[in-house]
Amino acid sequence: MLTLSGEAAQVVHRLWAAGAGKLRCPGVGARGIIGRMTDTAGQGGGGGFRDGAQDGFRGGEPGGFQGEGPGASEEPSLRERRAAALRGARRVLSRAGWRGTLRERLAHLQEAAPGVYDLDEPTDLYGDRIVAALEERVAALLGTEAAAFFPTGTMAQQVALRCWAARTGNPVVALHALGHPERHERHALSQVAGLRPVILTTEHRQPTAAEVAEFPEPFGTLMLELPLRDAGFLLPTWEELTETVEAARERDAVVHFDGARLWESTVRLGRPLEEIAGLADSVYVSFYKSLGGFGGAALAGPTSLIEEARTWRHRYGGTVFQQFPTVLSALVGLDRELPRLPEYVHHARVIATALREALATAGLPWSRVHPEEPHTHEFQVWLPYDPDTAAEAAIRQAEETGTMLFANAWDTAGPGLTTTEVTVTEAGLIWTPEDVKRAVTEFAERVRLLKD
């Protein structure tokens, strides 16, 4: 028997009602709704599951759906070869824990967990005990009155935005066209939460204060993704951010930060986490994107909002019976990875400079590192080739030399252009500029062989 969560049950109920008792969707064939939900074909605007085997996961960490980024249309054989090459590589810029085996993941948690929580305490039940401890830790880090744990960021942000809409009386959410809800959530804000997203800008940069101030219709909430991943993990300056927030305040709008990667934003913004979060009325943070947790997210803000959010979390099916493995992994990430993120950001800038210089020296025309000085420990690389050529060259380099310079998938960025994401974490700290230049030379040799 198939049991659905609260949110999924709502979706099925709506489909049933819309089809007068026939559980069908336009374009759904004999496989029915479940076949559609597990379809691997990308569908634009965040449709279709991303290649879950390995490299639909972007930027060195998982993201969820196909069509969201590099690797969305790769052949399975290419993904499998990349995964095998990465496992066998001796030198990489990042070795994300989620790429490991079940045994490795459990062993790491078993080794680290005793240092972050008393394992002789009772387990959690529906969000108490260790879950409550994590919530208190997050609220303290972000300087908010309270925080609530959620199984996913998609759920956390829907809940936050619908709560604000009820309070402001305005269901309109102003955000960037590249924001996660617009690109990767199957239009959940409108289809599930009943909100109306409007686009501030389509430019590959953060929205400006002028765009917020001059937007031609009222909106109840301004949503800012910090950093903006699909534009190249871009952040504003502190002055730009404060001006944009103030522009929203002058329009009587509340401000919500999509802070999935807020943890690593302190270097660029030059402020501690609590001061950054203090600009917003509510903030969402992720525990797996940069901290290496098993999953999970938190919504932080005023106590009254978080209490209401807990009610909606239950309605969405997000009040899970027991969550201690995921919560333990989040606590480990806060203890071990969070303090190291500034170091990763600084070294990512060293790597990016060496990459830019080496790509030019290697004779690869129109290569780009974006942004030239990374705002976080992640950035983009653009090359004038098709994705398969770049992917094949990266995999061959790893197979033949044991060095994997580009461990993530490549995606079409335009006619004759491809892009990938580079992440620098602990494994990359040993790389010198000379190491980068040598790796680029090896990569370029294999690109030329494939093009000849």
Side-chain angles (χ1 to χ4, degrees):
M1 178 179 178
L2 177 64
T3 302
L4 300 176
S5 70
E7 183 179 2
Q10 291 177 38
V11 173
V12 172
H13 176 75
R14 290 180 185 179
L15 292 170
W16 186 281
K22 296 180 180 179
L23 192 58
R24 297 181 62 82
C25 294
V28 178
R31 291 182 302 148
I33 182 86
I34 301 302
R36 181 72 169 214
M37 290 169 69
T38 56
D39 212 342
T40 56
Q43 300 180 25
F49 282 102
R50 194 193 313 174
D51 61 58
Q54 181 75 21
D55 289 300
F57 298 106
R58 304 176 304 162
E61 77 257 350
F65 292 101
Q66 188 171 350
E68 295 187 23
S73 59
E74 281 189 339
E75 292 296 325
S77 58
L78 197 60
R79 296 194 298 270
E80 292 163 3
R81 283 182 57 212
R82 179 183 289 106
L86 181 58
R87 285 193 295 270
R90 297 184 300 277
R91 293 177 65 84
V92 295
L93 289 169
S94 177
R95 199 178 294 278
W98 59 264
R99 298 183 190 265
T101 64
L102 289 171
R103 185 181 301 279
E104 290 167 342
R105 293 288 269 167
L106 290 173
H108 174 69
L109 184 62
Q110 186 175 28
E111 176 271 324
V116 300
Y117 195 79
D118 184 355
L119 300 188
D120 291 322
E121 287 290 312
T123 58
D124 60 295
L125 293 173
Y126 295 115
D128 65 1
R129 296 169 181 152
I130 189 173
V131 180
L134 174 62
E135 292 171 340
E136 292 172 5
R137 176 94 178 266
V138 170
L141 283 168
L142 300 180
T144 60
E145 292 179 358
F149 182 82
F150 279 78
T152 71
T154 297
M155 184 187 295
Q157 299 208 105
Q158 277 189 53
V159 166
L161 294 172
R162 73 183 302 155
C163 288
W164 286 127
R167 291 169 179 229
T168 64
N170 189 332
V172 178
V173 179
L175 72 166
H176 198 291
L178 297 178
H180 197 276
E182 279 298 290
R183 298 266 289 181
H184 311 309
E185 296 179 15
R186 295 178 179 244
H187 310 293
L189 292 186
S190 58
Q191 296 301 308
V192 179
L195 304 172
R196 185 164 70 86
V198 294
I199 302 304
L200 289 167
T201 180
T202 59
E203 297 294 324
H204 281 234
R205 53 163 172 74
Q206 287 284 345
T208 66
E211 287 165 340
V212 171
E214 298 167 9
F215 194 75
E217 66 174 296
F219 54 86
T221 304
L222 170 66
M223 179 178 181
L224 296 175
E225 183 177 327
L226 302 175
L228 186 58
R229 179 183 193 171
D230 284 356
F233 304 93
L234 298 185
L235 286 162
T237 63
W238 178 252
E239 291 73 20
E240 290 168 341
L241 180 58
T242 55
E243 289 171 2
T244 302
V245 169
E246 181 58 31
R249 302 280 186 226
E250 290 177 0
R251 299 191 59 149
D252 295 324
V254 298
V255 178
H256 172 76
F257 285 170
D258 176 345
R261 297 170 180 79
L262 194 72
W263 306 117
E264 59 263 38
S265 299
T266 57
V267 175
R268 161 80 171 175
L269 294 175
R271 297 294 192 282
L273 283 169
E274 62 268 24
E275 190 171 352
I276 298 170
L279 291 178
D281 296 285
S282 59
V283 182
Y284 140 67
V285 290
S286 171
F287 296 120
Y288 72 89
K289 288 183 169 64
S290 301
L291 300 183
F294 290 175
L299 175 65
T303 300
S304 61
L305 176 78
I306 300 306
E307 287 306 309
E308 183 180 358
R310 294 181 197 279
T311 298
W312 278 105
R313 181 183 65 186
H314 196 174
R315 290 168 177 161
Y316 270 66
T319 304
V320 180
F321 180 53
Q322 289 193 317
Q323 300 173 98
F324 66 89
T326 299
V327 173
L328 276 172
S329 72
L331 290 170
V332 170
L334 290 173
D335 266 23
R336 294 193 172 188
E337 285 299 295
L338 180 58
R340 305 200 68 182
L341 289 176
E343 182 182 14
Y344 299 164
V345 174
H346 288 300
H347 199 63
R349 295 174 176 177
V350 174
I351 299 296
T353 298
L355 263 175
R356 187 172 62 252
E357 294 172 354
L359 288 168
T361 303
L364 297 180
W366 205 93
S367 58
R368 294 289 186 275
V369 173
H370 176 69
E372 288 193 358
E373 182 179 85
H375 295 181
T376 72
H377 65 307
E378 299 176 282
F379 56 91
Q380 295 175 339
V381 171
W382 293 53
L383 294 177
Y385 302 107
D386 62 273
D388 286 349
T389 296
E392 182 65 30
I395 293 169
R396 287 189 186 183
Q397 179 184 8
E399 291 171 340
E400 296 166 6
T401 71
T403 295
M404 196 159 201
L405 177 62
F406 299 116
N408 295 309
W410 296 80
D411 197 23
T412 300
L417 292 175
T418 186
T419 183
T420 191
E421 294 175 345
V422 175
T423 301
V424 179
T425 57
E426 182 181 17
L429 295 179
I430 64 172
W431 286 57
T432 66
E434 287 305 313
D435 292 330
V436 174
K437 292 172 184 176
R438 187 179 308 110
V440 169
T441 299
E442 295 170 350
F443 173 77
E445 289 171 352
R446 285 156 180 83
V447 169
R448 281 191 284 270
L449 285 173
L450 289 165
K451 297 302 290 183
D452 288 343

